[in-house]
Amino acid sequence: MFKALVVNKDDESGKTSAAVAEISEDQLPDGDVTVAVEYSTVNYKDGLCIGPGGGLVRNYPHVPGVDFAGTVEASDDDRCKPGDKVVLTGWRVGEGHWGGYAQKARVKADWLVPLPDGLDTRAAMAVGTAGFTAMLSVMALQDHGLKPGDGPVLVTGAAGGVGSVAVALLASLGHEVAGVTGRPETADYLKGLGASQIVAREEINETVKRPLEAETWAGCIDAVGGAMLARVLGQMKYGTSVAAVGLAGGAGLPATVIPFLLRGVNLLGIDSVMQPYENRVRAWQRVATDLPMDKLEAMVVPATLADLPQLGADILRGQVKGRVVVDVNG
């Protein structure tokens, strides 16, 4: 028997409830590899899955946790051997497949990435899905020509999980970083991560009638979407790119095609869930070499399985700062 955060749903009322419970290994779903989970983290999807489900969870009881890091305990696949340190993000684990909010997980070998040198399991989950997504975004901007010295790079939702890692990564790579936040109290935190400019959310969150404004940003990692993304598109320098990673401000895009046609702006969609294996390995290796560990540690908020019901509600309200690292054995 081992501990897990189990979400149940009442068939009559439709309401869900989450609590730490003891489950047995034979209750785990099918898979090639059993992992002794050491750490997980808290993402927006986790908040949905802990709470109402958000359309992500189809079957109950359910164990959430869209990412985890740990040690291979048993394996039917030669790519994963007992004792190997591995990390998992995406593949709808924690949504359609039981996830990392447990002391053990059973998954497909295809979903696991070996932990690169320089990262332990705790650091891997300080990075987590959010940091992995931030790294994919930085790589996409670089692949489309972004270089240090090109000008300020904007990060929206900068105090969140993706934003925090993005700020630290970009600053460590020599970029001038402007962080957008609606929480003035996070300004010192963001400057500590490397932001040289703080942009108040209200300054950039309203739709304007002008399709183009002054060319300001050399790149952008956007976790907000909606009106803010539309506004940012009109402020991009010629030939630059926006990496779109989230929709905290809405799924709509009240924009025109003018920035694309007259300034050659690129809108790059970033998906971390179904990324090919080779790109996952590349991204995790880049994390290990490019992300300053002291900056990563400054983002960490420790937690245990028992804290997750409250943290799930907090992240849905936008009240989680930085990276929550869940010690599932704590």
Side-chain angles (χ1 to χ4, degrees):
M1 303 293 289
F2 57 92
K3 292 180 180 179
L5 183 79
V6 180
V7 182
N8 285 287
K9 186 174 185 178
D10 184 274
D11 291 335
E12 292 186 9
S13 67
K15 292 183 177 180
T16 58
S17 60
V20 179
E22 294 273 344
I23 63 175
S24 61
E25 197 165 319
D26 59 10
Q27 291 176 266
L28 290 173
D30 292 339
D32 310 311
V33 184
T34 301
V35 178
V37 179
E38 295 166 23
Y39 295 96
S40 186
T41 184
V42 179
N43 301 277
Y44 192 84
K45 282 184 177 180
D46 294 316
L48 292 173
C49 293
I50 291 170
L56 301 176
V57 180
R58 302 299 185 193
N59 299 300
Y60 293 88
H62 181 67
V63 176
V66 302
D67 48 19
F68 63 78
T71 305
V72 173
E73 191 173 84
S75 175
D76 296 326
D77 192 291
D78 291 339
R79 291 171 292 176
C80 298
K81 296 179 174 57
D84 286 353
K85 299 291 185 179
V86 292
V87 60
L88 181 146
T89 61
W91 302 114
R92 297 205 68 236
V93 170
E95 305 170 44
H97 188 96
W98 280 16
Y101 289 166
Q103 292 173 317
K104 293 188 181 185
R106 186 175 292 134
V107 295
K108 293 183 178 180
D110 290 341
W111 300 343
L112 295 169
V113 174
L115 211 58
D117 293 339
L119 280 185
D120 59 21
T121 53
R122 182 178 180 276
M125 281 300 99
V127 176
T129 296
F132 173 67
T133 305
M135 188 73 253
L136 291 173
S137 303
V138 171
M139 288 161 50
L141 292 179
Q142 291 177 327
D143 290 345
H144 283 77
L146 178 66
K147 302 181 300 297
D150 286 350
V153 180
L154 190 71
V155 178
T156 70
V162 175
S164 293
V165 180
V167 169
L169 277 169
L170 288 165
S172 73
L173 291 168
H175 296 281
E176 179 186 351
V177 184
V180 181
T181 181
R183 295 178 279 176
E185 68 276 10
T186 64
D188 288 342
Y189 164 77
L190 291 172
K191 289 177 180 177
L193 295 179
S196 55
Q197 180 183 352
I198 305 299
V199 180
R201 180 168 58 197
E202 56 268 20
E203 291 182 20
I204 204 168
N205 199 34
E206 59 180 285
T207 305
V208 295
K209 293 183 179 179
R210 300 184 304 280
L212 294 176
E213 298 182 72
E215 296 185 42
T216 305
W217 314 115
C220 174
I221 295 176
D222 174 60
V224 177
M228 186 178 294
L229 174 55
R231 182 81 181 274
V232 168
L233 287 169
Q235 298 178 349
M236 300 302 296
K237 292 186 176 185
Y238 187 90
T240 58
S241 302
V242 178
V245 303
L247 42 65
L253 185 58
T256 75
V257 297
I258 299 300
F260 309 119
L261 302 181
L262 298 189
R263 284 194 184 155
V265 173
N266 305 298
L267 182 57
L268 313 175
I270 307 297
D271 167 63
S272 67
V273 177
M274 306 303 289
Q275 277 288 320
Y277 177 81
E278 294 76 13
N279 218 33
R280 290 175 182 272
V281 172
R282 177 186 170 215
W284 279 107
Q285 289 173 340
R286 285 285 307 274
V287 165
T289 57
D290 294 350
L291 182 60
M293 288 300 109
D294 59 331
K295 299 289 179 66
L296 182 64
E297 188 60 35
M299 306 174 201
V300 170
V301 178
T304 66
L305 289 176
D307 299 320
L308 287 169
Q310 183 61 52
L311 286 166
D314 289 346
I315 199 167
L316 295 182
R317 291 193 293 261
Q319 295 175 348
V320 171
K321 181 184 78 173
R323 302 293 302 127
V324 177
V325 176
V326 182
D327 180 354
V328 301
N329 300 298

